[in-house]
Structure formats: C-alpha cells, structure tokens
Amino acid sequence: MAAHDATVWRPGDILRPPDGVDVDLSVVMLNHFEGAVGSWSPVWNRGRTRICVDGGANVFFKYSRLHPGVLEPMTVVSGDFDSVSEDTMALCVSAGVRVVATPDQDKTDFTKALELAVEEGGRRGIVTLASTGGRFDHVFGIVNSLFVALELTDAPVYVFSGESVTWLMRKGRHEVVTPGELVGTTCGLVPIGQRAEHVTTQGLKWNMDDQSMAFGGVVSTSNAVAGSSVVVETDQPLLWTMAV
C-alpha cells in the first residue's frame, strides 16, 4: 500500500474493483448493519473470508431471505453470541459455517473479529460493514477498534456503511486516490484521540496548511474532494471519511 514516502489509499479498488483485479479481502459484517443490498453485496461477495459478528449473522440471513441468490455464504461466525438467535446459529451449523467463540469481555466483538480477520489473511485489506447512524456509543467503539487495528496489521482497514467509507490514517503522509465519480463528494478529516499539531492537505475544497486540529478547535467536517487525488500530511492519527 506504500508508494514512495506516502501511504496510498484506493477505496475505489476495494469498493468497485475493475474486472480482472484480484481483491484479496476479509469482509466483516457487524450486528445491526443495515443498507441497500446493491450497495454492499459486491463488497461482501469479493471477500475471501466473510465473517459475521454475533448478531451480524441475523442480518446476513435476513438479507439472504429477502434477496435469494445474491449473497455469497458467510465463512465464519464469531463473537460472544449474546445477540445471535438460536435459529440463526442452527442455520450456521447446518450450512457448515465455522463457529469461533470470542468470549473476552474486555474487547468489543468488532476488535475480536479484526483479530480473526488478520489471522485469516486478506492481504489487500479488511472491509467492515457497519451502520454508523445508530447508537453513538457503538460509533466510538468502532473508532476505537480502528486504533487497535493499527497494531494488528499494516493492511488497510475500511468501515463501509453503504453510504460512506471511513478509515484511520496513521501519522505520516497519505494519498487518497479518488475514482472520477467520487470527485466532488463530501469528506471529512477528524482528529481523534489527541490534538494534531501539524496537518497539511492538498486536493480538498478547503485545504489546511500546517494547521492544528482538535476537538474544541478546527475539525474538517463537510469538506469536499476537489480532484482525483488528495494528499494529507499529519503528525497524529486522523479519521478520514467520505461519501460514496
């Protein structure tokens, strides 16, 4: 994913890969995920490993019943199994889905699923299907898991809601390569966890030039992608999000 001194992000290759491109992904579906099946089924179906997290298995079978033949089967169901129904677990067992219990209550089911996804491979990255418009504490749990992921893997970890894609940028230099149809789309660059003292961007509608960013100060929400490439330089991790 690195080119020269920059980390290069290509969300278009993940969400809409060109024909013939081998996308070695792990895809994770979280509990309570909702979205138009046409927006996320191509991502799910490209996963080499397809993991449903606890009640995410309920979601998977709901969409499978509503859209027969559209979704590739899940390969793994994981979690502490406090939100998956007995009927769903019976379906998983009968379908030959691998069941991985992860009872550690000091970690979220998402964090434990990321650890499993890293073990399963996915050299091109991990895509998590997650709703971000529901419970606010769940949103912060997702963001915290993205920080944990920085220690688990060098591969990109994306959160895809069906309407937006989000990831955590390490400190350093990054380039976001934007497909033509996403030029002009809304985006945001958010300091999470601590103040970023030095942030410089190129390719946004409203760029920053060695800007300090922090909650209570500058937070770059409701920005927009201005061209085919966005460059971000930061001295601390930043959360990037963009509409798709």
Side-chain angles (χ1 to χ4, degrees):
M1 192 174 59
H4 305 296
D5 59 345
T7 298
V8 181
W9 301 86
R10 301 181 184 272
D13 287 358
I14 299 297
L15 304 178
R16 306 181 185 92
D19 291 340
V21 172
D22 175 30
V23 180
D24 185 3
L25 293 176
S26 292
V27 184
V28 177
M29 181 182 290
L30 299 189
N31 193 12
H32 304 303
F33 175 69
E34 297 286 343
V37 71
S39 69
W40 58 266
S41 58
V43 180
W44 172 264
N45 290 341
R46 291 185 186 105
R48 295 281 182 89
T49 303
R50 297 177 294 277
I51 302 171
C52 285
V53 178
D54 211 324
N58 299 331
V59 177
F60 171 81
F61 282 114
K62 180 188 78 171
Y63 279 108
S64 294
R65 287 190 295 269
L66 291 172
H67 305 278
V70 171
L71 299 175
E72 292 291 331
M74 76 174 90
T75 58
V76 181
V77 60
S78 71
D80 56 15
F81 305 134
D82 62 349
S83 57
V84 64
S85 72
E86 291 183 6
D87 288 345
T88 293
M89 285 302 293
L91 287 171
C92 289
V93 172
S94 65
V97 176
R98 185 154 63 94
V99 178
V100 179
T102 55
D104 186 350
Q105 294 299 305
D106 290 333
K107 300 177 182 178
T108 66
D109 282 340
F110 179 26
T111 294
K112 292 179 284 187
L114 286 176
E115 292 173 341
L116 180 59
V118 170
E119 292 174 6
E120 294 290 316
R123 59 183 176 81
R124 290 292 298 276
I126 300 168
V127 179
T128 302
L129 304 177
S131 295
T132 54
R135 279 178 47 184
F136 206 47
D137 60 330
H138 281 172
V139 173
F140 280 106
I142 289 170
V143 172
N144 183 65
S145 293
L146 291 178
F147 273 91
V148 173
L150 295 182
E151 305 301 320
L152 295 176
T153 180
D154 291 327
V157 179
Y158 298 93
V159 175
F160 182 48
S161 72
E163 297 179 348
S164 65
V165 61
T166 303
W167 62 85
L168 189 64
M169 293 177 167
R170 303 171 186 266
K171 65 179 181 180
R173 180 180 174 89
H174 300 260
E175 180 183 5
V176 182
V177 178
T178 309
E181 68 271 18
L182 295 183
V183 173
T185 195
T186 301
C187 67
L189 197 58
V190 183
I192 296 287
Q194 59 187 312
R195 176 184 296 272
E197 294 289 356
H198 304 283
V199 179
T200 298
T201 66
Q202 302 171 41
L204 297 177
K205 185 174 182 179
W206 293 284
N207 282 305
M208 285 160 282
D209 183 9
D210 201 27
Q211 177 75 56
S212 175
M213 298 183 70
F215 284 108
V218 173
V219 176
S220 182
T221 57
S222 299
N223 210 320
V225 175
S228 60
S229 175
V230 174
V231 175
V232 178
E233 295 184 72
T234 177
D235 66 337
Q236 296 295 339
L238 294 174
L239 194 74
W240 169 275
T241 186
M242 64 189 301
V244 294

